[in-house]
Amino acid sequence: MDLDGKRIVLGMTGGIACYKVCELARRLQDEGADVQVVMTQAALKFVTATSMQALTGKPVFVDAWQADANGRVDDAMPHIALTRGADAVVVAPASADFIAKVAHGLCDDLLSTLVLARAPDVPLLLVPAMNVEMWSHPATQRNVAQVKADGATVLGPASGAQACGEVGLGRMLEAHELREDIVAFFQPKLLAGRRVLITAGPTFEPIDPVRGITNLSSGKMGFALARAAREAGAAVTLVAGPTALATPRGVQRVDVRTAREMHDAVMGYAHHADVFIAVAAVADWRVANPSKTKLKRTKGAPPALMFEANPDILADVATLKRPPYCVGFAAESDDVIANAQAKLQAKRIALIVANRAQDAFGADDSELHLVDAVGVTTLPRASKLAHARRIVAEIAARLQPR
Ligand code: C5P
């Protein structure tokens, strides 16, 4: 679990978005986090301390003068003790008033006091939720800039319909989005400042307006790599063939259908990329004579399809004048490593991630081999996200320092 052993103080201030924090408290625990809720008086107007206690299995702290009934908070000083040993303070929802208080160092209740009293190595994550006019008011924007300058991380807000009936920026992020962002926050920033370009999924080569040739690639590995690279601090562009997978948080996605569309999209970004990871299962051939109208079933001979070769996207990127660091994937049915070594040389790329074709498509875990000029590193069977994080670390270690 991605938040195993992490102690998170979850602060709640006044706002209807408190209802989403009931869910967030559960999702953080699903990831293994220990969650201690602290609520302001205004938060209590929206959900009860009993709800949050039931959801976390722990007494909720509200009052700076509250004596500790459980003997867990030393000297009945919760404003100090609650953050000692914590890995982060997450305030969700963070109201305009609360952000203003943090910006000015005001501390007139338990939550604002513990934020000020936390040690400098305990990160503060603020998750704003407020009406669009409150969010865009210059005073709030000044305060947000100030808390960021003081080291806080601000997650969101999103734009959209608001509970007040107005529309715009100020919606709190959803619990599943915050889960992904908070997990990402704790990942090492091995690719900070790097631009990473990734292809993922299958391609689809039309035969006629309703039929085509595709393959069984699910896109899961490429999407996991996009997520892992973003978690590591990179700016990520994901060029995806047809797949229903959700876009990882913070990733720029470009949807394409055919190999040629994928090639064109990739070449448009490749010049600016520091790393290119070709995960897509690109069709080697396309139908040379696709029909403009739907082919009809006739009694005679079936239609004859002619094929022509698609561009090799990875090879074209690898032979640019100033190519990014290029990583290829190879699914082989036999002689996995020998075939990967041959491909490494043929495509003139830095690193190949090889696996058995029988394992590769659609599965959630597999064994991988990283093959480069130096040798072979075998990554034992693990989830695609675990592999993706390891591959990102291996790439980061091989990049030239800037
Ligand atoms: O040559 P082969 O298809 O086995 O190589 C696989 C690698 O090359 C993968 O990284 C795949 O994404 C990439 N590739 C490509 N364009 C193609 C074919 C493969 O980028 N037309």
Side-chain angles (χ1 to χ4, degrees), residues 199 278-280 282-284 311-314 328-329 343 347:
T199 64
V279 197
V282 184
D284 291 318
D312 187 327
I313 303 168
L314 178 54
F329 270 69
K343 198 165 291 186
K347 298 215 185 208

Side-chain angles (χ1 to χ4, degrees), residues 230-252:
R230 180 260 173 174
E231 286 177 344
V236 181
T237 303
L238 174 63
V239 180
T243 154
L245 296 177
T247 311
R249 297 273 304 150
V251 166
Q252 182 194 11

Side-chain angles (χ1 to χ4, degrees), residues 109-135:
D109 61 10
L110 175 59
L111 188 57
S112 52
T113 311
L114 73 78
V115 163
L116 199 71
R118 78 192 198 284
D121 62 347
V122 179
L124 173 64
L125 286 76
L126 297 172
V127 188
M130 65 195 75
N131 166 269
V132 55
E133 300 300 346
M134 294 173 83
W135 172 255

Side-chain angles (χ1 to χ4, degrees), residues 122-208:
V122 179
L124 173 64
L125 286 76
L126 297 172
V127 188
M130 65 195 75
N131 166 269
V132 55
E133 300 300 346
M134 294 173 83
W135 172 255
S136 50
H137 193 285
T140 303
Q141 289 304 308
R142 251 192 337 264
N143 292 332
V144 169
Q146 184 61 57
V147 296
K148 284 184 182 170
D150 292 343
T153 297
V154 175
L155 303 178
S159 185
Q162 302 200 310
C164 55
E166 297 186 3
V167 178
L169 271 173
R171 276 176 64 91
M172 198 178 93
L173 298 180
E174 303 301 324
H176 68 274
E177 296 172 319
L178 288 167
R179 171 191 187 156
E180 205 172 315
D181 283 357
I182 292 167
V183 166
F185 177 83
F186 285 109
Q187 292 296 317
K189 300 295 171 243
L190 301 173
L191 291 178
R194 306 278 192 176
R195 278 179 289 212
V196 175
L197 177 62
I198 299 174
T199 64
T203 59
F204 179 94
E205 307 296 332
I207 295 172
D208 70 12

Side-chain angles (χ1 to χ4, degrees), residues 247-318:
T247 311
R249 297 273 304 150
V251 166
Q252 182 194 11
R253 175 174 179 170
V254 180
D255 283 318
V256 295
R257 230 156 66 117
T258 66
R260 280 190 296 178
E261 284 171 19
M262 186 174 274
H263 180 268
D264 291 352
V266 164
M267 298 318 281
Y269 291 101
H271 295 277
H272 310 291
D274 300 299
V275 177
F276 176 51
I277 314 177
V279 197
V282 184
D284 291 318
W285 303 282
R286 64 177 173 273
V287 178
N289 56 338
S291 171
K292 287 203 169 56
T293 52
K294 187 181 167 194
L295 295 170
K296 303 288 181 299
R297 189 149 63 98
T298 52
K299 289 235 167 68
L305 298 181
M306 315 265 286
F307 290 94
E308 57 192 10
N310 272 327
D312 187 327
I313 303 168
L314 178 54
D316 283 357
V317 173

